[in-house]
Amino acid sequence: MKLWQKVSIASISVLLAVVITCSTLLLLQTKDNIIQLTTEQAQTEQWNLSVSFSEMVQYYLNNESNPAVKRSGINYCFKRFATHSSVLIGKEGTIYSAVSIKPQEILPINNNNQQKVILRKIGDRNILIVGSGLNLLNDNYYIYTVKDITEVYDSITAMTWRFVLICGVGVFAGTLLIIGLVRHANKPLIQLKDITRRIAVGEYDKRAQVQSKDEAGELAADFNAMADAVQNHIFELEETAKRQQLFIGGLTHEFKTPLTSMIIHSDTLLSADLSKEEAQNSLIHIHTQCRWLERLTQKLLKLITLKENIIIKPESVKTLFDDVVESTAETFSERNITIKSECDIDFLKMDYDLMKSLLINLIDNASKASEPGQSITLRAYDNVLEVRDNGKGIPQSEIKRITDPFHRVDSSRSKKTGGSGLGLALVKRIADVHNAHLVIDSQLNNGTTVKVIFHDALPC
Amino acid sequence: MAKNRILIVEDDKAISDGIAVNLQYSGYDYMVFSDGQEAADSLKSDHSYDLALLDIMLPGMDGFELLSYMKKYNIPVIYITAKSDVPSEIKGLRDGAEDYIIKPFEMLTLLVRIEKVLERTGKLNKVLRVGDIILDLENRTVTKAGEEIILKPLEFEVFTMLAKYKNRTILREKLLNEIWGTDYFGDTHTVDVHIANLRKKLDAFDLIKTVPKYGYRLEVK
């Protein structure tokens, strides 16, 4: 059963119970009141009749009166005050009666002045009888007021029906109102449910559009916040998966080229009767490719296992620069490229070997982009290490992707410059583990500047 | 009888060297370029190629672009590439390449594909010459020093295969698969028997070399 149905049924049940209880109590009370009022009226009437009759009898008659005079006097006096509901009973029987029943049989009165009341259903009529005894001229008389109060009952019944009708309409309207309200209150929940289902099937960009400021609105806001978080995570996961796929794709590609020439040459050596020189040539090719694959795997291993065994501590930047310049000196003198280093800071928190590897990679790239005779500048200032060259530069469109593994500006993957396509990927990884980021500025034919900007490894 | 001439555009020297050596041994002429632009420019002065083997990722101009130049001179193209993704393969073939070979590949596969493309485009030599033996592939006849020699159909197939890939050792299993078919249940001894017959009929005891534990080679100096 749905929540709105439960809430509606509960509310309607309570409404019904309250209405029925209240109406019943009210009706019973009203009925009692009306009957009591009617009874009191009848009592007053009977009492008035009784008092007026007795006074008049005592005024006109006395004990010495002739019994015949007495009888007609009493009859006369009673008639003076009698209404269509009055009955007078003497010791011999009914003296006067305006009604068709005999009240003395229903309500016998003992010989006292106390007024008695009875309500009796006779046939389909409700009859109210009020009676009292009276001693007049040494005789006992009984005066009754007999009222047919069936109409009172009828009006109560009619009133009951009217009440039922009004309550019915009220309850019906109330029911509609409750269902409407509950469903309206439920609407944000239903919307959230729909959105949840859509998100569950992969539409991560869906959001709940609930404007209300109540709990449902708060829930929707929280839900949206959760959906944002989920979407971000999914996006990150997808990005990671995509990067890994690209990486694997690049890797396979990278292995295929050397493998192809190794297969071709070994195949040729096996199948064809090559001259000594040709065979030598094929072997050289195979050997070169093997060495190339070896270097590639070394770099890959470094890239993958980078995060292990890092020791970040303050190191002298000057020592690092000298070390780097010395390591690369041979290549530079060969290609007639000069290197300058400017060091404005003393110490920087780093892993020495990794930072050396980073700088050598950057210098290697810079030297590949440079023409003989040009120079490369190595600088350290504030929280920045910088490698600048005046070489051929990188096209703007490439700068964003240049740190992707296996990405080369020259898509042919030519071995002229001998790059594995992993150098800058490694540089970026090293920068990442130092909580540093790379800024690459480049202008075609005007040189490239790579800055490694440290964030929390501030100079110390 | 002119040799088929093949254009190779491949920027990896190790690979182009390997292909070149094999083409030479199989009796093809070839020309190698390592730069797409250079290859395209060279076509203006010389475009008498029967086939082009193109890498896709090339410096200068990529293989897809180069294809239009080849089409201009009616040179059929086989792509040789490390790009193993389906969209690239479809693009290559849809643009009009004859074949698409993904690195790494077997040299014999490349040779067979080259031959099939040449056959399809009607550029394959129908006559093979091995010393004084002439094979006419169209009429399925063999002559030695002008005299016709009768070979059984399977013997003819074996000799044709050896002659097509002369100076290249062919595995017994390869011969068996290519000629008898993969569902043939006989063993490689069948191949040996046919080779013995060929040697006898063609007096080719020196010509057909046995490479122990490997296969046979038709050796032409």
Side-chain angles (χ1 to χ4, degrees):
Chain A
M1 196 186 265
K2 296 278 167 65
L3 182 65
W4 73 267
Q5 291 169 326
K6 285 184 191 169
V7 173
S8 301
I9 287 175
S11 311
I12 293 163
S13 306
V14 170
L15 177 73
L16 265 175
V18 168
V19 166
I20 288 171
T21 314
C22 290
S23 319
T24 312
L25 286 175
L26 198 67
L27 271 172
L28 287 175
Q29 189 71 45
T30 312
K31 184 183 156 198
D32 285 353
N33 284 348
I34 291 172
I35 288 170
Q36 198 179 342
L37 210 65
T38 316
T39 310
E40 277 169 12
Q41 259 177 12
Q43 278 177 308
T44 313
E45 193 185 314
Q46 194 268 350
W47 188 249
N48 285 345
L49 174 66
S50 172
V51 169
S52 308
F53 167 67
S54 111
E55 277 177 2
M56 194 172 175
V57 167
Q58 278 164 354
Y59 184 78
Y60 285 110
L61 298 171
N62 52 44
N63 280 337
E64 283 83 45
S65 301
N66 180 316
V69 172
K70 218 196 256 178
R71 197 181 301 127
S72 64
I74 282 173
N75 208 339
Y76 171 77
C77 288
F78 193 78
K79 268 185 192 163
R80 277 276 300 181
F81 301 104
T83 61
H84 61 275
S85 53
S86 306
V87 175
L88 178 67
I89 309 287
K91 64 175 184 249
E92 288 95 16
T94 305
I95 298 167
Y96 176 89
S97 179
V99 297
S100 56
I101 56 164
K102 291 188 168 150
Q104 69 273 27
E105 287 168 9
I106 299 164
L107 186 70
I109 309 271
N110 298 327
N111 210 0
N112 58 38
N113 273 352
Q114 197 160 5
Q115 195 177 39
K116 279 179 139 187
V117 179
I118 196 165
L119 190 57
R120 176 67 55 93
K121 197 168 167 80
I122 298 167
D124 60 345
R125 315 301 290 173
N126 289 288
I127 308 295
L128 177 72
I129 303 168
V130 183
S132 62
L134 188 67
N135 194 291
L136 272 180
L137 311 173
N138 298 325
D139 284 325
N140 281 331
Y141 295 94
Y142 307 101
I143 297 169
Y144 290 96
T145 293
V146 179
K147 288 222 169 212
D148 182 352
I149 57 167
T150 308
E151 273 165 30
V152 173
Y153 275 89
D154 285 349
S155 77
I156 288 172
T157 311
M159 190 174 70
T160 307
W161 282 118
R162 266 205 307 281
F163 231 96
V164 168
L165 187 69
I166 290 167
C167 285
V169 170
V171 166
F172 182 70
T175 303
L176 288 184
L177 192 68
I178 286 170
I179 291 177
L181 279 173
V182 169
R183 295 206 72 165
H184 179 74
N186 213 16
K187 218 186 242 170
L189 285 182
I190 289 168
Q191 207 193 353
L192 272 179
K193 184 193 77 184
D194 290 345
I195 296 292
T196 314
R197 288 195 180 158
R198 299 187 75 166
I199 288 180
V201 297
E203 294 178 53
Y204 298 110
D205 56 339
K206 290 281 176 264
R207 292 292 177 273
Q209 308 289 327
V210 178
Q211 260 87 40
S212 59
K213 294 206 163 55
D214 54 10
E215 290 89 335
E218 283 170 15
L219 176 63
D222 290 344
F223 177 86
N224 284 348
M226 185 195 74
D228 283 344
V230 168
Q231 192 183 10
N232 284 340
H233 281 302
I234 297 276
F235 182 72
E236 271 170 35
L237 283 177
E238 277 173 355
E239 279 296 296
T240 312
K242 213 190 277 172
R243 268 207 307 279
Q244 278 177 351
Q245 206 173 2
L246 276 179
F247 182 82
I248 300 283
L251 184 65
T252 344
H253 192 189
E254 223 45 51
F255 276 113
K256 269 182 181 174
T257 310
L259 278 177
T260 306
S261 54
M262 280 159 69
I263 289 173
I264 291 175
H265 287 286
S266 57
D267 186 18
T268 311
L269 278 171
L270 271 174
S271 326
D273 190 18
L274 298 177
S275 69
K276 193 153 195 261
E277 198 185 328
E278 285 168 331
Q280 185 75 13
N281 198 30
S282 281
L283 278 174
I284 289 173
H285 276 315
I286 293 174
H287 183 72
T288 316
Q289 300 302 330
C290 285
R291 296 308 294 268
W292 165 253
L293 275 180
E294 202 235 337
R295 259 189 302 154
L296 190 66
T297 33
Q298 290 287 350
K299 279 215 166 175
L300 266 176
L301 202 63
K302 204 165 187 178
L303 193 64
I304 291 163
T305 60
L306 191 67
K307 278 209 163 164
E308 295 160 20
N309 310 321
I310 317 174
I311 306 155
I312 293 184
K313 59 179 201 288
E315 301 277 2
S316 158
V317 180
K318 179 92 175 54
T319 314
L320 175 72
F321 276 12
D322 290 347
D323 192 359
V324 168
V325 171
E326 201 183 323
S327 312
T328 48
E330 208 177 316
T331 338
F332 287 120
S333 59
E334 245 172 50
R335 299 198 52 219
N336 192 22
I337 292 169
T338 48
I339 182 159
K340 296 175 214 159
S341 71
E342 298 166 19
C343 186
D344 292 347
I345 48 177
D346 295 331
F347 291 95
L348 205 57
K349 276 184 190 166
M350 64 174 94
D351 180 299
Y352 187 85
D353 290 335
L354 285 183
M355 203 42 70
K356 183 179 162 187
S357 171
L358 177 145
L359 288 177
I360 289 176
N361 265 298
L362 287 181
I363 292 170
D364 197 34
N365 282 343
S367 74
K368 280 172 194 160
S370 301
E371 296 293 324
Q374 289 182 327
S375 66
I376 296 170
T377 313
L378 206 53
R379 283 183 66 201
Y381 56 93
D382 302 334
N383 56 340
V384 179
L385 296 183
E386 183 184 286
V387 177
R388 194 173 65 222
D389 67 63
N390 304 309
K392 61 182 176 186
I394 309 160
Q396 281 300 315
S397 56
E398 295 286 342
I399 288 179
K400 252 185 117 170
R401 300 180 54 208
I402 202 163
T403 53
D404 288 352
F406 306 115
H407 184 82
R408 291 194 189 86
V409 176
D410 180 357
S411 72
S412 76
R413 316 208 163 210
S414 73
K415 300 285 152 48
K416 266 183 224 160
T417 45
S420 63
L422 286 176
L424 274 174
L426 191 61
V427 165
K428 184 166 185 303
R429 283 277 290 167
I430 294 174
D432 284 347
V433 299
H434 283 85
N435 197 15
H437 78 275
L438 296 178
V439 175
I440 303 172
D441 280 322
S442 188
Q443 279 182 311
L444 274 179
N445 303 320
N446 226 341
T448 305
T449 307
V450 182
K451 288 179 188 157
V452 185
I453 301 171
F454 289 76
H455 293 290
D456 54 17
L458 287 170
C460 48
Chain B
M1 189 183 63
K3 289 179 174 178
N4 286 117
R5 191 155 178 259
I6 293 173
L7 172 67
I8 305 169
V9 191
E10 161 67 63
D11 64 332
D12 190 288
K13 196 174 179 310
I15 294 176
S16 60
D17 269 9
I19 295 174
V21 168
N22 280 282
L23 287 183
Q24 193 194 339
Y25 271 88
S26 300
Y28 292 101
D29 257 351
Y30 62 86
M31 185 74 191
V32 179
F33 287 96
S34 62
D35 184 287
Q37 191 63 52
E38 282 171 27
D41 292 343
S42 81
L43 286 175
K44 280 175 198 144
S45 51
D46 176 11
H47 51 260
S48 56
Y49 299 104
D50 296 315
L51 181 81
L53 301 176
L54 305 183
D55 191 5
I56 289 180
M57 285 192 290
L58 287 166
M61 180 190 291
D62 74 22
F64 290 132
E65 255 182 285
L66 212 48
L67 184 70
S68 58
Y69 287 83
M70 300 297 156
K71 275 182 167 170
K72 205 157 103 188
Y73 298 108
N74 273 323
I75 304 169
V77 167
I78 296 178
Y79 280 123
I80 298 173
T81 177
K83 278 174 93 78
S84 56
D85 57 314
V86 178
S88 294
E89 187 168 349
I90 289 175
K91 178 175 166 48
L93 294 174
R94 191 169 273 169
D95 284 0
E98 293 290 331
D99 213 335
Y100 192 98
I101 301 177
I102 293 161
K103 292 174 185 173
F105 52 85
E106 295 278 340
M107 204 52 225
L108 194 60
T109 310
L110 179 63
L111 290 174
V112 172
R113 303 247 188 137
I114 288 175
E115 188 197 309
K116 293 289 173 202
V117 170
L118 289 175
E119 203 174 275
R120 248 200 326 269
T121 50
K123 288 179 173 171
L124 185 72
N125 283 327
K126 299 286 186 202
V127 178
L128 295 177
R129 194 185 292 264
V130 185
D132 57 352
I133 304 172
I134 295 168
L135 272 115
D136 186 333
L137 299 181
E138 217 160 8
N139 301 316
R140 297 181 68 87
T141 56
V142 185
T143 57
K144 184 177 165 73
E147 215 174 302
E148 184 161 357
I149 290 168
I150 308 298
L151 294 182
K152 286 181 186 161
L154 286 174
E155 287 166 0
F156 183 84
E157 296 290 342
V158 173
F159 193 67
T160 306
M161 186 135 176
L162 289 172
K164 269 183 188 165
Y165 310 115
K166 57 193 171 192
N167 293 322
R168 156 173 286 278
T169 313
I170 301 171
L171 269 172
R172 279 191 186 81
E173 284 81 6
K174 189 89 187 166
L175 280 167
L176 199 67
N177 281 348
E178 290 291 322
I179 294 160
W180 278 268
T182 42
D183 40 0
Y184 180 72
F185 285 107
D187 59 18
T188 50
H189 186 64
T190 320
V191 179
D192 300 337
V193 172
H194 280 76
I195 293 282
N197 288 344
L198 277 174
R199 279 176 174 152
K200 228 181 281 168
K201 285 187 181 175
L202 295 169
D203 186 22
F205 293 99
D206 286 340
L207 205 60
I208 303 175
K209 287 254 157 65
T210 305
V211 180
K213 291 181 182 169
Y214 198 81
Y216 297 99
R217 180 165 74 216
L218 192 68
E219 205 162 273
V220 187
K221 292 288 171 204

